[in-house]
Each structure stands twice: as C-alpha cells, then as structure tokens.
Amino acid sequence: MKQFLGNSPKWYKYTIIGFLVFNVLFYFTLGPTITAWIFIAEFIFTLAMALKSYPLVTGGLLAIQILALKLTSSASAYHEVEQNLEVILLLMFMVAAIYFMKPLLMYIFSKIFTRVKSKMVLSVLFVVLSAALSAFLDALTVTAVLISVAVGFYGVYHKIHSSDLGLDGNGDFDRSQLSGETLEQFRSFLRSLVMHGVVGTALGGVMTLVGEPQNLLIGEKMGWNFIDFFLQMDVITIPVFFAGLFTTVLLEKFKIFGFGAELPEVAQKIIGNYTKVEDEKRSKKEKQRLVVQAVAMVLLIIGLALHLAPVGFIGLALIVFQTAFMGITDEHRIGPAFEEALPFTALLVVFFVIVAMIHDQHLFKPVIEWALSMDVSAQPTMFYIANGVLSAISDNVFVATVYINEIEAAFLAGELSREQYEKLAIAINTGTNLPSVATPNGQAAFLFLLTSSLAPLINLSYGKMVKMAFPYAIVLGGVGLLCVMYLL
C-alpha cells in the first residue's frame, strides 16, 4: 500500500482500489451502459484530483479496466488515436519548439510586465493576444507559450526568494517580504493572468478554420475555406468575443471568482531588475540566439497561418531550425524540451480510450436523436445546448465529430435542407467551443494547463480552475446561446 500511488493520500488510494473493485460488480449487475457512465464520472474525478496523483496513472488504471471489461476494444482506441494524430504530433513537437523560444518569450513578456502597470489593461491584453494568436495558430500552442512565460516568471521570483541575492541592486530584500502573503498574491496574479489567457484561446479558437481541431473537420464537411468559415461564424463569435472582454474587465474591477490580484510591488521590482540585469549582461552569442528565436517565431506564424503542413511537422521543423542555428547539438540538451508535453500526450491517449468507450457504447446517441426529433426552428438551439453540456463532461473535439457525422448522414439522406445543415454546423462549432470552457475536460488547452508543471507552482487545482472559468462559461455560453436563438 505504501508503494501503490506513492505519496498520494491514503483515502485516495483506497478510493481508486474501490473504483476498480466496484466497477466489476457494476458491470455484471447494472450492465455495460450504466457502467460506462460510472467510468466517465470516475475519470473526471481522477482529473479533479490531478494534484494528488497525475491522472495518467489513476486514469490509466481505469482505461486498462475498460479494455479488460470489453467496454471498448484496443482497435477502437487506436482508431481514436489515428483520428487525433495531428493533436498528438502537435503536443510532442510544437511544445518542444516553444521550449527553445523561452528566452525570447521571457524577453518580450518581461518588457510587457514592466511597462504595463495596470492589471486590468494587462488582463485585457492577455485575452486579446491569446485570442488573436489562437485564431491563426491553435489553442494548445498558445497555452504552451503562456505556461512557458508563467513558469519563467515564477522561476525568477523563486530564485530570489530561495537565495540570499537581491535583485533590487542593494541585496536588501528581506526574505520574509517574499514569502507568506506576498508569495500567495504573486501566485494569484499569475493564476488570473494565465486563466484570462486560456479563455482567450477559446474566444479566438472558435472564430477560424484553424483555431481548434474540430473547426477543421466541420469546415471540411461543409466545404468552407478560411474566409467562409470566419464569415459563417461571425454572427455568434464577434458578440461573444466582446462579451468575453467585458467579463474580463468586470472580474478584474470587482476582484471576484479568484481574479483581481495585483502584481506585488516587490515582485514588480524583482521582474524589473531581472529585465535590467539580463539586458546588461546579455552576450553577443545570446543576442544572436534571440534573433534565431525571433525568426523561428515568424516562420511559426507563417507556417500555421498558411497551413503549410500539419502543426506537429511545423513544430519539428522549428526544433531542427533552432537547434541547428543556436548550436545545440547534444542529446542531453535537446531532451528536456520534450519533458513538459510527453506525460500529457500519454494522458491524452488514455483519454481516447474513454472516448472510444463513449463511441462503442453509443452513450450520446439518445441525445442526438432527441435533438434531431425537434422542430426545425428549435434544432440549432437544442444542438448548441446538447453540444455544450456534453463537451463540458467529455472532449469537445469528440462531441463535434459525433454530431457533425450524424447531421451529415441526415443531410445526405435528404432529411435536412442545405440552409438547416449550415445552421446546425454553426451551432455544433460554437456549442462545442464556448460552453466547454466550464471544465478542464472540455478543452484540451485547459486540461494541458491543469496537468502542466505550472499548476502546482501557482496552486491551480481542478476546483479552482472550474471556479475561475465559471463566470466566463456562463457569459460565453449564454451570449452564444442568445445569438444562436435570435441571430442565426
């Protein structure tokens, strides 16, 4: 028992063992469909307990049991992985490419941090920047950038906090000044900025063909190009974007739902002086490396905006480009770049076992049939709501895939007009992208943040994430629903 799940609390160890024992009983007494729903609830619970044990371990045990009980097959799970290979390659290579850009990102963002004094302006800037980048790149890449920046700043603060150095020039920081409430305020400040940023990735990601993986799928089925897709969605996405910005301002002004923490003065001094010291001691070699990283950043934006290759391939090309021109040729210096994303990539494959089970057990079929049986005028609204709810508990890419395939079949069978088919496609896209910010399960970017190395540093738990995302989920989901009802 001491070895099992290592340092996790005893109650958690017994809970996981309880799950594994009772699941077998449920399977033989309640049947596969109800057991499958119980497995989903248990998997969500393991995600919620991410700080007690990395969900790959506990969720992985559940996934093995799902396969053992034949609720799905390894072939179905493999098919899900095949469908999402682009996302897996993105995580493996793009996040590693961002790792080599860290000095440049720190350089850019430290300038922003020191020059923009207002937390509200900074928050709005983070939302707008994340949305703009996500519209042309993709949410996971932008989240990787946000994580890199926040880890970098936390590292600078921690370095001063845990050493006798002072970055104020005189070395007269009192250690107690940096811990306790100040440290918690600094964590809270980073937490709120990063959460604003990941919500920004959802706001931008919903707008364009390349913003989220399911957008590409929906665009392909409908025959929409980049401009078509944007123009089809703008009736919903533009009002939602401005509602999102308004929410950011309100959250910061009234300091509610865990937002509103200012950058402590002492931390501002540390970052300001760190920037100054770094600028002064930057060697010619380091300046040349910054230029290489800047060129890589431009190539990244061009490559993704023009969709020159799958995102993962572009990431791999940038790893090669940066390491070659920065002279990084040792394996042990390249290796750490992959450490951040590979555990999450493995967790995503475990998640696909759950998705395969949902598919094989037809858990969402009754909801789809109910939505399609509605009156034509009510269908877009019902599809939006159904997609929103299911995306919050499942994965938005999977939900969108299931729904778009079902309505395509209905359209080809002559049950839907082209106009209705387009309306339902718009409702599916916005329904899976907007309300799904409510939980980390719905958006891969949120799950990536929750399971990243940053989450424990800034005390970002599943519960805190749900609490902070709640006002955004209500506003984005609500405004999106009103637009579907009255403007679509």
Side-chain angles (χ1 to χ4, degrees):
M1 277 308 288
K2 272 185 183 170
Q3 289 278 47
F4 179 67
L5 297 185
N7 296 325
S8 302
K10 260 189 182 170
W11 67 265
Y12 189 51
K13 296 182 181 189
Y14 287 123
T15 304
I16 297 298
I17 290 171
F19 285 169
L20 297 172
V21 171
F22 282 107
N23 287 339
V24 179
L25 299 175
F26 292 146
Y27 180 76
F28 289 109
T29 54
L30 303 173
T33 306
I34 295 173
T35 309
W37 279 109
I38 292 168
F39 266 112
I40 291 174
E42 289 170 353
F43 187 72
I44 291 171
F45 175 75
T46 64
L47 294 178
M49 294 291 133
L51 297 181
K52 303 275 183 249
S53 164
Y54 192 68
L56 168 64
V57 183
T58 45
L61 288 171
L62 294 173
I64 290 168
Q65 192 174 37
I66 286 167
L67 290 165
L69 292 173
K70 292 197 164 34
L71 290 171
T72 187
S73 64
S74 54
S76 294
Y78 185 71
H79 176 66
E80 290 300 332
V81 171
E82 270 184 327
Q83 297 280 90
N84 290 279
L85 185 61
E86 202 168 325
V87 178
I88 290 169
L89 290 175
L90 182 156
L91 283 165
M92 285 168 66
F93 299 131
M94 187 56 83
V95 177
I98 299 296
Y99 173 89
F100 291 110
M101 289 182 195
K102 217 177 250 184
L104 177 71
L105 295 171
M106 285 295 290
Y107 175 78
I108 294 168
F109 278 89
S110 56
K111 292 278 185 271
I112 293 172
F113 268 51
T114 47
R115 287 182 188 171
V116 179
K117 303 293 182 198
S118 159
K119 171 72 189 304
M120 193 181 286
V121 173
L122 201 57
S123 300
V124 171
L125 194 64
F126 260 63
V127 175
V128 172
L129 272 177
S130 299
L133 289 170
S134 294
F136 294 100
L137 314 185
D138 66 275
L140 280 168
T141 306
V142 177
T143 306
V145 170
L146 291 171
I147 290 168
S148 274
V149 168
V151 168
F153 283 124
Y154 187 86
V156 171
Y157 187 91
H158 183 70
K159 196 167 157 188
I160 305 304
H161 176 229
S162 55
S163 72
D164 297 322
L165 298 167
L167 260 186
D168 63 342
N170 327 313
D172 62 357
F173 271 137
D174 177 8
R175 186 82 62 85
S176 62
Q177 231 184 316
L178 297 175
S179 26
E181 278 182 31
T182 312
L183 178 59
E184 194 34 60
Q185 191 185 335
F186 182 58
R187 281 175 169 156
S188 184
F189 169 80
L190 285 179
R191 229 182 3 248
S192 60
L193 273 188
V194 170
M195 281 302 290
H196 286 313
V198 286
V199 169
T201 65
L203 286 171
V206 68
M207 289 187 181
T208 64
L209 191 63
V210 295
E212 293 275 353
Q214 70 266 33
N215 300 17
L216 209 51
L217 175 80
I218 292 167
E220 265 174 36
K221 298 264 186 207
M222 306 307 295
W224 292 333
N225 63 26
F226 192 91
I227 303 294
D228 293 337
F229 189 94
F230 178 77
L231 295 175
Q232 289 283 358
M233 298 297 157
D234 67 358
V235 68
I236 296 165
T237 55
I238 301 295
V240 166
F241 175 72
F242 286 107
L245 287 184
F246 184 60
T247 308
T248 305
V249 172
L250 289 181
L251 290 171
E252 286 299 324
K253 185 168 175 55
F254 296 106
K255 302 186 187 317
I256 45 177
F257 291 100
F259 291 97
E262 297 285 342
L263 179 62
E265 206 177 317
V266 68
Q268 198 158 12
K269 259 189 193 173
I270 287 175
I271 291 168
N273 289 310
Y274 159 80
T275 310
K276 207 165 117 191
V277 168
E278 285 293 304
D279 286 350
E280 283 167 6
K281 69 171 196 183
R282 190 170 286 115
S283 66
K284 190 180 177 189
K285 190 177 176 182
E286 285 170 331
K287 284 176 184 169
Q288 285 171 342
R289 286 185 168 186
L290 283 181
V291 172
V292 171
Q293 289 158 30
V295 172
M297 186 71 85
V298 172
L299 292 175
L300 167 69
I301 292 167
I302 293 169
L304 289 173
L306 300 179
H307 236 259
L308 297 178
V311 183
F313 282 16
I314 294 170
L316 182 56
L318 291 178
I319 292 171
V320 174
F321 174 78
Q322 289 179 100
T323 50
F325 287 96
M326 292 196 297
I328 300 169
T329 53
D330 301 329
E331 187 186 348
H332 70 270
R333 286 176 67 200
I334 296 171
F338 294 89
E339 283 173 11
E340 175 71 45
L342 279 181
F344 180 69
T345 311
L347 172 62
L348 207 60
V349 174
V350 165
F351 188 51
F352 292 142
V353 175
I354 311 291
V355 170
M357 174 189 73
I358 292 171
H359 189 263
D360 286 357
Q361 296 302 320
H362 309 293
L363 299 186
F364 292 170
K365 204 166 174 43
V367 188
I368 297 169
E369 286 171 351
W370 167 76
L372 275 173
S373 68
M374 290 271 169
D375 182 62
V376 173
S377 60
Q379 277 181 4
T381 306
M382 285 306 141
F383 265 72
Y384 179 89
I385 293 169
N387 276 274
V389 172
L390 294 176
S391 292
I393 60 164
S394 172
D395 163 53
N396 59 0
V397 180
F398 166 70
V399 174
T401 307
V402 171
Y403 270 82
I404 197 75
N405 287 338
E406 289 290 334
I407 66 159
E408 184 188 34
F411 172 67
L412 294 174
E415 292 165 28
L416 294 174
S417 66
R418 174 70 195 187
E419 188 192 0
Q420 186 68 0
Y421 182 34
E422 287 186 353
K423 281 184 179 177
L424 292 183
I426 295 167
I428 290 169
N429 184 59
T430 49
T432 51
N433 273 307
L434 298 172
S436 59
V437 300
T439 68
N441 320 17
Q443 295 258 1
F446 281 55
L447 191 57
F448 184 36
L449 174 61
L450 177 71
T451 56
S452 70
S453 59
L454 175 66
L457 299 180
I458 58 172
N459 290 345
L460 184 63
S461 63
Y462 188 97
K464 248 178 209 158
M465 211 165 180
V466 170
K467 176 191 163 186
M468 293 177 87
F470 178 75
Y472 277 117
I474 295 296
V475 173
L476 306 190
V479 172
L481 179 62
L482 291 172
C483 291
V484 169
M485 287 166 75
Y486 299 110
L487 301 179
L488 191 57

